[in-house]
Amino acid sequence: MIEIENVRKSFGALEVLKGINLTVSKGEVLTVIGGSGSGKSTLLTCINGLEPIDSGRILVDGTEVHARSTDLNKLRTKIGIVFQQWNAFPHLTVLENVMLAPRKVLRMPKAKAEEVAVKQLRHVGLGEKLGVYPSRMSGGQQQRMAIARALAMSPSYMLFDEVTSALDPMLVGEVLDTLRMLASEGMTMICVTHEMKFAREVSDRVAFFHQGVIAEIAPPDQLFSAPQNPETQKFLAATH
Ligand SMILES: Nc1ncnc2c1ncn2[C@@H]1O[C@H](COP(=O)(O)OP(=O)(O)O)[C@@H](O)[C@H]1O
Ligand SMILES: [Mg+2]
């Protein structure tokens, strides 16, 4: 599981995370909602050690992410992260792009990496696109390729940061369907999203971020139907 204990983080004078406490259990789907600049992305990058923290601690399966003794490269193989946009290598095919990390990081033999990459590309519905170059794919297909790329490392956790925000509305559905599929398979996920309907359907819990704190966290029915915090109420009213 992921345990976040009183995590604080500033960029210069700006305190972005002001004492975050959060536990995400194995198999749980947590969605994170909140206004721009509230610290959602920063939290994700702290969880996989891309960003240092100022105080508190984050444990992933009991390993303290920011401890000096922690092998971050090894830890990161457990935590897949997908962003709004991923710039695939344009000179490599879809299959070659997805094979890259298993080859380089996990040192998989070529045949094995290919097997894993094909499996994950089929899994996200791109089995017909193996030999295609990324530029020939739609935004939705590119995001599914990015998800397959993360899954090819066999992560225990997946972090998604507004993976549909850069997409044409027409293409959002296919990417959300992929996330729904992963959730139904029991993947442990933290999804930062603006898609409230998706959050409502797929989450075990929803966390509302406001100015660097979790202002409210609750099961979706409760958070969306009967938000307790006035800031949550304001935010939900503005997004409808
Ligand atoms: N690398 C950085 N350097 C300086 N400020 C940053 C950096 N990353 C984020 N911030 C600032 O931290 C705040 C929170 O950002 P972020 O976590 O991206 O919010 P969100 O994802 O909720 O929109 C914002 O004010 C943002 O400008
Ligand atoms: Mg963000």
Side-chain angles (χ1 to χ4, degrees):
M1 62 181 177
I2 299 176
E3 296 162 280
I4 299 169
E5 297 172 357
N6 203 17
V7 165
R8 290 181 174 269
K9 167 156 190 83
S10 300
F11 289 112
L14 179 69
E15 194 173 26
V16 177
L17 299 177
K18 300 174 183 167
I20 300 289
N21 288 290
L22 179 66
T23 299
V24 181
S25 312
K26 209 87 206 112
E28 186 175 12
V29 178
L30 176 82
T31 52
V32 176
I33 62 172
S36 176
S38 56
K40 306 179 299 294
S41 296
T42 302
L43 183 68
L44 296 191
T45 53
C46 289
I47 290 172
N48 89 336
L50 281 171
E51 281 286 352
I53 59 177
D54 298 330
S55 63
R57 54 181 205 158
I58 300 177
L59 303 168
V60 174
D61 293 342
T63 301
E64 189 172 346
V65 176
H66 298 88
R68 207 164 289 170
S69 56
T70 296
D71 179 348
L72 264 186
N73 287 327
K74 189 168 162 220
L75 187 73
R76 282 195 191 121
T77 63
K78 277 194 183 187
I79 311 169
I81 186 161
V82 182
F83 299 100
Q84 222 178 79
Q85 249 170 331
W86 171 54
N87 294 317
F89 292 99
H91 61 290
L92 299 179
T93 63
V94 168
L95 178 63
E96 288 164 344
N97 268 285
V98 174
M99 285 172 62
L100 212 54
R103 290 274 281 151
K104 301 265 174 201
V105 181
L106 302 180
R107 304 199 179 282
M108 261 184 216
K110 192 170 175 210
K112 177 73 185 161
E114 183 168 326
E115 183 190 319
V116 167
V118 169
K119 179 175 160 217
Q120 292 304 342
L121 283 163
R122 286 192 183 140
H123 196 186
V124 302
L126 294 176
E128 311 291 299
K129 300 288 179 187
L130 305 179
V132 166
Y133 287 91
S135 61
R136 305 303 296 268
M137 298 210 298
S138 73
Q141 290 168 338
Q142 294 196 23
Q143 280 302 65
R144 286 188 283 140
M145 169 178 59
I147 293 169
R149 175 178 173 263
L151 292 174
M153 300 295 281
S154 305
S156 305
Y157 304 94
M158 287 288 288
L159 314 179
F160 296 98
D161 195 358
E162 299 190 17
V163 292
T164 61
S165 294
L167 297 178
D168 290 343
M170 290 285 291
L171 303 176
V172 168
E174 66 188 62
V175 176
L176 293 183
D177 283 345
T178 303
L179 300 190
R180 278 191 195 94
M181 176 183 75
L182 295 178
S184 72
E185 291 168 356
M187 177 60 80
T188 310
M189 304 168 38
I190 303 180
C191 308
V192 175
T193 187
H194 291 301
E195 300 288 337
M196 298 301 154
K197 186 167 164 280
F198 168 78
R200 193 166 190 146
E201 283 169 18
V202 82
S203 323
D204 295 302
R205 286 185 302 162
V206 182
F208 170 64
F209 266 58
H210 182 66
Q211 296 180 352
V213 300
I214 298 178
E216 187 162 356
I217 181 163
D221 281 349
Q222 189 180 324
L223 190 126
F224 288 111
S225 304
Q228 302 294 303
N229 186 302
E231 295 298 341
T232 319
Q233 294 166 1
K234 251 195 263 173
F235 178 78
L236 291 177
T239 53
H240 281 137

